[in-house]
Amino acid sequence: MRTSRSSRTSRTSRAPRAPRSSVPSRLTALVTGAAALGALLTAAPAAHAADLPLRDLAAAKGKAMGTAVTGSKLTGTYGEIAGREFNWLTPGNAMKWGSVEPTRGNFNWTEADQIVDFAEAHGQEVRGHTLVWHSQNPSWLTNGTWTSAQLGQLLNDHIALEVGRYKGRLAAWDVVNEPFNEDGTYRQTLWYNGLGADYIAQALTAARAADPSAKLYINDYNVEGVNAKSTALYNLVRSLKERGVPIDGVGLQAHLILGQVPSTLQQNIQRFADLGVDVAITELDIRMQLPATAAKLAQQADEYKAVVAACVAVSRCTGVTVWGFTDSDSWIPDVFPGYGAATPYDENYAPKPAYGGIATALGGTTTPPPTGACTATYSVTNQWNTGFTGQVRIACSGASLSSWKVNWTYGAGQRISQAWNATCTQTDAAVSCANASWNGTVPDGGSVTFGFNASWSGSNPVPAVTLG
Ligand code: 9MR
C-alpha cells in the first residue's frame, strides 16, 4: 500500500504503536478467548503461533498483513487478535455507501470512525473500502433516476465527502470496486451505464483531490491469475497511467477455493508491478467444502503460504489482507452454502494450520502444525431470576473424539438440577459431565452439544471448562 519508506515513517510517527509484548503467548490468547466465549479448552494442542505476530513477521519483510474487520466486534478476543496480529485493517462493510449514507443526506460514520480510531490506537493503517461499486449502495441512489450530470455530481460529492472526512488518516482507498465482467468487458452498472467507462478516471481524480496522500486502488476478484479479466484490468491501468490519471495500485481480492490457487499468481502480480503500480492482495480467503478435515486444513495451509509467498516475492506487492481472520466472521457460509473454514482462525479463535502457512511465508520459524483440536465451549442460553439454562458445545476440527468428559468448577454457588445429552454429577462446586451412550463420538469437522438447568443467586460467572 505504501511505496516509500518516508511515507511509512510519517504514518508511524502519527500513530504510535500501542505497547504490547513482542512475543505473545498462545496460552494468553486461549484464556482470553475463554473469558469472552464462555469457556474453552483444547483437548489436542491447538495450532500454535509463530514466534512473532504476523504483523511483525510481515514488517520484517517490508510487507503488511491485514484483515477485514467488523467494528462492533473489536473487543475481547476478537479485538485482541485484530490488534496483535495485523497492521492493516479494512472495514468489511462500514465504509460502503449504503452504510454511510443510508438515506440521502443522513450520514452514519459510527462504525467507520470506530475502526479508524482502533487502528490508530494499535499502530495500524486502514484501507478504505470502497467508494464506487455496483453493490451495497443505498436504495435512494440505486432507485433514483439520474441524468449523467447528476450522477457525475453524486459521484464527485460522495468521494469528496468520504475521502475528505478521513483525509490524512487512511493509507489507501479501494476507489473503484469490481468494474469488470469475467470476460473482461465492463460490468453494466449504475456508473458505467450513466457515465461510460470514464467514471473510473473521474472517481480516481476526485479521490486524489480529496486526499493527496492516500494510495488509490482499483480492486476486483478473479483477477489473481493471468486471464481475460485480469488482462482487461491490466489494460485499463496501463491506459490510465498513460493518460496521467491518478492510479497507485491494484487490489487482487483473492476469494479462492481450496485446490484452485492460480499458478500464474506471482507472474500476474509482477506484470502489474511492471506497469509501475503497487499490488495488494486485499480480500484473501480460501474456502473448502465442509466438513473441514485435517487433510483439507493442511492443504489450505500450503495454499495460504503460496499466496503470501507470491506477494513476498514481488517488491511492489505491499501486503496481504485476509477477508476476516476468523471463521466466525466470514461471509462464505452465507453465500456459499456447504462451504466455509476459509480463514486462518477457527470459530473459537484458535489459529488453524493456515495461520502457520502465512507465518512460514513471512519467514516465521515455526512450521504450520498439522494438528487440529477439539474444544468445549460453555454458554448460558437463558437466564431468569433464580435459574438458568446452559449449554456446552464440543467441536472438533482436524481432530476427533470417541468419548469425552467436560469438567468445570462453579465459582458462585451455582447448582445443576438437570442435564440432557450428558450425564452430569456435581460435588460441591465441581461439575463433571460425561457423554451419553449416543454422542461420545465427535468426528473431525463435527460437534455435539449437551444442556442443563441450574440455579444461581447473586451472580452467575462463566466457569473455565476442561475437556478430557
Ligand atoms: O464481507 C462483506 C459481507 O459482509 C457483505 O455481506 C458482502 C455483500 O456483498 O460484501 C462482503 O464483502 C465483499 C467486498 O466488499 C467486495 N468483494 C467481495 C466481498 C465478499 O462479498
Side-chain angles (χ1 to χ4, degrees):
M1 154 174 350
R2 302 139 304 186
T3 51
S4 72
R5 188 155 294 282
S6 59
S7 71
R8 186 173 308 150
T9 308
S10 68
R11 289 186 192 290
T12 305
S13 61
R14 197 178 52 245
R17 175 176 293 188
R20 61 195 166 78
S21 82
S22 60
V23 183
S25 142
R26 183 58 38 199
L27 186 61
T28 308
L30 285 172
V31 169
T32 314
L37 284 170
L40 168 159
L41 205 105
T42 53
H48 61 109
D51 42 0
L52 288 172
L54 298 179
R55 60 183 283 171
D56 290 354
L57 293 172
K61 291 271 180 200
K63 306 292 175 188
M65 186 70 219
T67 182
V69 290
T70 302
S72 59
K73 298 183 181 175
L74 282 170
T75 59
T77 307
Y78 183 99
E80 195 242 328
I81 295 172
R84 186 187 68 223
E85 298 286 340
F86 301 96
N87 52 6
W88 280 357
L89 297 186
T90 303
N93 289 300
M95 289 186 172
K96 292 169 180 172
W97 199 331
S99 300
V100 301
E101 194 181 2
T103 57
R104 194 171 185 187
N106 291 313
F107 297 93
N108 182 353
W109 303 105
T110 310
E111 189 189 349
D113 285 353
Q114 182 198 354
I115 292 169
V116 176
D117 290 346
F118 180 97
E120 290 178 347
H122 291 80
Q124 299 168 310
E125 299 195 13
V126 177
R127 303 193 83 256
H129 175 85
T130 177
L131 297 166
V132 185
W133 194 21
H134 61 274
S135 182
Q136 290 184 280
N137 285 320
S139 52
W140 65 263
L141 176 64
T142 47
N143 295 340
T145 307
W146 314 103
T147 64
S148 289
Q150 288 170 326
L151 210 49
Q153 193 65 48
L154 283 164
L155 186 79
N156 284 345
D157 289 350
H158 171 64
I159 292 172
L161 186 77
E162 181 155 8
V163 177
R165 179 179 180 85
Y166 297 105
K167 183 179 180 181
R169 297 177 74 192
L170 265 54
W173 271 104
D174 288 331
V175 177
V176 175
N177 201 35
E178 303 174 358
F180 288 109
N181 294 314
E182 298 304 293
D183 64 0
T185 57
Y186 281 107
R187 194 191 283 269
Q188 308 280 306
T189 68
L190 172 72
W191 307 112
Y192 180 83
N193 295 336
L195 298 170
D198 242 26
Y199 82 89
I200 296 171
Q202 181 183 331
L204 289 162
T205 303
R208 176 68 92 232
D211 186 353
S213 72
K215 300 292 185 195
L216 307 181
Y217 278 67
I218 301 173
N219 189 49
D220 215 327
Y221 63 89
N222 288 351
V223 293
E224 294 75 31
V226 175
N227 58 36
K229 193 174 184 180
S230 65
T231 298
L233 178 59
Y234 177 87
N235 289 333
L236 169 64
V237 171
R238 188 172 58 188
S239 104
L240 292 170
K241 295 277 291 180
E242 282 167 4
R243 291 167 55 197
V245 174
I247 173 73
D248 301 309
V250 295
L252 314 182
Q253 293 186 5
H255 293 293
L256 302 174
I257 302 169
L258 192 71
Q260 297 181 32
V261 176
S263 59
T264 51
L265 174 62
Q266 186 180 325
Q267 176 193 341
N268 192 42
I269 295 172
Q270 187 66 58
R271 73 169 172 157
F272 280 104
D274 291 345
L275 279 179
V277 291
D278 290 342
V279 180
I281 308 283
T282 51
E283 304 184 16
L284 176 62
D285 48 28
I286 303 179
R287 61 185 180 268
M288 64 182 69
Q289 209 160 7
L290 297 172
T293 62
K296 289 183 203 173
L297 292 170
Q299 183 184 351
Q300 186 188 46
D302 287 343
E303 295 185 356
Y304 263 96
K305 181 179 168 189
V307 172
V308 176
C311 181
V312 169
V314 180
S315 61
R316 286 204 79 140
C317 185
T318 53
V320 176
T321 290
V322 292
W323 204 243
F325 63 85
T326 158
D327 291 338
S328 67
D329 189 38
S330 170
W331 67 296
I332 296 293
D334 292 340
V335 177
F336 301 101
Y339 282 79
T343 78
Y345 283 80
D346 74 12
E347 293 183 347
N348 292 325
Y349 301 121
K352 292 155 56 179
Y355 177 99
I358 296 170
T360 307
L362 293 173
T365 54
T366 309
T367 49
T371 53
C374 296
T375 58
T377 308
Y378 175 112
S379 54
V380 174
T381 57
N382 188 22
Q383 182 170 300
W384 55 99
N385 53 356
T386 55
F388 67 99
T389 302
Q391 176 183 284
V392 174
R393 178 169 182 263
I394 298 141
C396 292
S397 179
S400 61
L401 295 171
S402 54
S403 67
W404 46 263
K405 188 175 272 190
V406 180
N407 300 310
W408 65 87
T409 302
Y410 276 129
Q414 301 101 316
R415 286 216 65 86
I416 290 190
S417 55
Q418 180 193 17
W420 50 95
N421 295 333
T423 304
C424 293
T425 55
Q426 181 167 0
T427 307
D428 299 327
V431 177
S432 182
C433 296
N435 62 271
S437 57
W438 61 88
N439 65 359
T441 300
V442 187
D444 184 359
S447 66
V448 301
T449 57
F450 68 90
F452 55 88
N453 285 331
S455 61
W456 70 289
S457 67
S459 67
N460 187 18
V462 166
V465 299
T466 58
L467 174 62

